[in-house]
Amino acid sequence: MTTIAYKDGVIAYDSRLVVENLIFDDEFEKMHSRDDVLFFLSGSTCDNEKFMNAYFEPELICKNVNVEAIVFDRSILYRSSIDSDGIFWRSPLRPDHYYAIGSGRDFALAFMDSDLSAEESIYATMKRDCFTGGKVRTYQVEKVEKVDLFNPSLYENYEKHKRAQGEHK
């Protein structure tokens, strides 16, 4: 898996690629770009292409896709994934908060709670999460817009996703 963290305009991520319990590669690039959108991807690498296709065509149903991402699209940060029903969703993130995804997210969040930066939290997580390792890479987000979190157009399929998960009737 991986750990990807965002704090104070910096997205930090490791480079370890694991297949089951085998370290397959410690220099894998987890940031991908398509049509000026940056994807920081965790999960099953063989599903990355399907996930990015669903990002641009959210009406696609993509079952059995195991990817979660932090996405930087036109100066807005999103957390995005595809749920167990194959429904793509994305939700905007507040640029003044911090976030983490992947196998080491709990560690990274705790380290950022302790005032470490996103990058420092990845280094610290590498000592605790065996699926996080290799090199730590960073991306400085140039300009992140504060978004109106009540703007439904920013939540691509999020309500549909919530209904499918039984959280809303």
Side-chain angles (χ1 to χ4, degrees), residues 36-88:
D36 297 323
V37 177
L38 293 177
F39 297 89
F40 299 86
L41 302 165
S42 71
S44 181
T45 58
C46 64
D47 292 336
N48 287 350
E49 197 67 29
K50 290 178 192 174
F51 174 83
M52 290 186 289
N53 289 341
Y55 187 85
F56 292 104
E57 297 180 56
E59 66 281 352
L60 290 175
I61 300 296
C62 300
K63 295 236 179 201
N64 302 317
V65 173
N66 177 21
V67 174
E68 185 176 14
I70 291 180
V71 180
F72 186 53
D73 183 354
R74 294 176 200 70
S75 73
I76 298 176
L77 282 170
Y78 294 96
R79 180 173 168 236
S80 185
S81 190
I82 296 174
D83 70 16
S84 59
D85 294 318
I87 299 170
F88 168 85

